[in-house]
Amino acid sequence: MAGYQLRLKSLVFAFALFVSGVSVVKAADVSWAELNDAQRQVLNPLASEWDTLRPWQREKMLDIASDYPKMNADKQALVKKRLTNWSRMTPYERENARKRHQQFNALSADKKSELRKKWLEYQQLPESERAKLRAESPDTYTDADLN
Amino acid sequence: MKIDDNKHIDQQASLDANVEDQIARNIVELLDSRAQKLRDEHSLRLAEARSLAIGRLVSQEAQLAASHSIHRSGHTLQWFGGRFGHYFEQHRIFSTLLVVCVMLLTFFAVQQFSVNHQIENSDAFLLASDLPPEAYADKGFTAWLDTN
């Protein structure tokens, strides 16, 4: 009976490993031709450069495509509009953006509104001044954080 | 009439008890007198048998005491544990499957909770946010906010 239990537990464990392993490999290796219609429609702005993206970049973009149907039409339009710029950001910039986005989500509605105004105000600054501010700010993440 | 009957019954019971007591005393006297006349080998065998019986009795009492000391730690839990423990012992396959199912359900529940929690922080929702991704990624904007 103990042998039976051991075999059953091993089987469940092996199955879980197999399922997780297969899903990781599948997500990372898919080419543009292998995408389904819904994924191509969402990721269309990246069509020309998809096959040059690294596997982990493709995986992130596929995550975006899978979350896309959960949004309303306005948000879907924003995603399509911003996708190309997003794919061209460096890992440092993306990780910074994720961290700031989480902080932004935790703010009150008034604070969010204030921050939107501040962003518009910041964009009115001369590019040279914004470049100077960027150059003076240290990177938040190290290489180890991004692996 | 009934009172007389009861008195008669009480007297009879008392008499029976006296007779039994007397018989017991006679037996004890008889055994004592015969014990004096026992041969050494018979005395030795009786002593060994007595010693063996006492040993067994002591062992049983010790086991009973140990069992009681465990039970004292929580009667209700012990009762439940004992019953369910016995049940699971009798249904090993079922209990194994039950444990596996509970583990899988817990795993999927935690995963589902984690997915729901992560959706709002996913890259897609970042792209659809009130601010463009450049606003979040721009270190200069963060520094400018700190100084303003």
Side-chain angles (χ1 to χ4, degrees):
Chain A
M1 186 58 73
Y4 172 80
Q5 287 184 0
L6 191 64
R7 279 200 298 275
L8 187 65
K9 286 172 188 170
S10 306
L11 194 67
V12 170
F13 181 68
F15 178 72
L17 270 182
F18 174 75
V19 168
S20 59
V22 164
S23 60
V24 168
V25 169
K26 202 176 174 183
D29 270 353
V30 66
S31 68
W32 181 258
E34 290 170 315
L35 295 180
N36 62 39
D37 290 342
Q39 288 170 326
R40 281 189 209 174
Q41 193 187 350
V42 178
L43 301 172
N44 193 41
L46 305 175
S48 59
E49 55 191 293
W50 177 264
D51 290 334
T52 65
L53 295 179
R54 292 176 183 177
W56 54 267
Q57 286 177 309
R58 293 184 201 179
E59 199 180 335
K60 289 283 185 188
M61 296 304 161
L62 287 172
D63 286 343
I64 292 173
S66 71
D67 287 337
Y68 185 82
K70 299 166 193 166
M71 301 171 168
N72 61 37
D74 291 342
K75 288 191 180 291
Q76 287 179 347
L78 279 174
V79 170
K80 278 196 168 184
K81 183 181 164 191
R82 294 168 174 173
L83 196 59
T84 309
N85 273 349
W86 177 250
S87 73
R88 287 172 188 168
M89 281 185 180
T90 66
Y92 290 101
E93 288 171 330
R94 275 199 287 265
E95 202 54 46
N96 264 329
R98 290 185 189 110
K99 186 188 166 194
R100 300 289 173 204
H101 177 239
Q102 283 182 22
Q103 291 171 343
F104 180 78
N105 278 342
L107 294 176
S108 65
D110 289 345
K111 289 274 182 190
K112 284 181 182 174
S113 173
E114 191 184 342
L115 211 56
R116 278 193 292 272
K117 284 178 192 163
K118 289 278 185 188
W119 170 245
L120 294 175
E121 205 178 315
Y122 172 78
Q123 285 183 303
Q124 301 304 314
L125 295 178
E127 175 54 32
S128 58
E129 195 174 335
R130 283 185 278 160
K132 191 183 167 196
L133 282 165
R134 280 194 285 271
E136 288 169 355
S137 305
D139 286 323
T140 311
Y141 292 91
T142 64
D143 286 335
D145 292 325
L146 301 169
N147 288 330
Chain B
M1 187 68 179
K2 278 187 177 177
I3 295 170
D4 288 346
D5 281 351
N6 287 341
K7 276 185 182 176
H8 180 71
I9 289 168
D10 287 345
Q11 284 172 354
Q12 187 62 41
S14 174
L15 191 64
D16 287 348
N18 285 337
V19 168
E20 279 180 8
D21 189 52
Q22 191 55 48
I23 290 170
R25 284 173 192 280
N26 289 343
I27 290 171
V28 169
E29 280 176 17
L30 188 62
L31 286 173
D32 282 347
S33 68
R34 291 296 168 101
Q36 304 294 326
K37 296 171 189 170
L38 278 177
R39 287 192 293 186
D40 287 347
E41 59 177 306
H42 291 154
S43 298
L44 191 64
R45 282 180 63 188
L46 282 169
E48 282 175 356
R50 183 174 181 275
S51 168
L52 193 65
I54 289 173
R56 284 184 182 169
L57 188 65
V58 167
S59 167
Q60 283 176 358
E61 297 251 333
Q63 282 181 357
L64 201 63
S67 167
H68 272 291
S69 70
I70 291 168
H71 293 189
R72 226 177 284 134
S73 62
H75 282 287
T76 311
L77 285 177
Q78 193 279 331
W79 186 78
F80 275 111
R83 282 193 64 171
F84 284 109
H86 179 71
Y87 180 81
F88 282 126
E89 188 66 23
Q90 295 295 315
H91 300 83
R92 284 183 178 173
I93 297 174
F94 173 74
S95 58
T96 305
L97 284 174
L98 189 68
V99 169
V100 170
C101 286
V102 168
M103 284 170 66
L104 285 174
L105 275 176
T106 308
F107 171 75
F108 286 122
V110 168
Q111 202 176 40
Q112 189 61 34
F113 174 77
S114 172
V115 164
N116 285 338
H117 181 69
Q118 283 175 356
I119 277 178
E120 298 235 335
N121 290 324
S122 71
D123 287 355
F125 281 81
L126 189 155
L127 292 180
S129 174
D130 292 345
L131 290 175
E134 294 84 12
Y136 299 118
D138 196 329
K139 294 181 297 176
F141 179 49
T142 310
W144 181 76
L145 281 174
D146 290 342
T147 56
N148 287 274

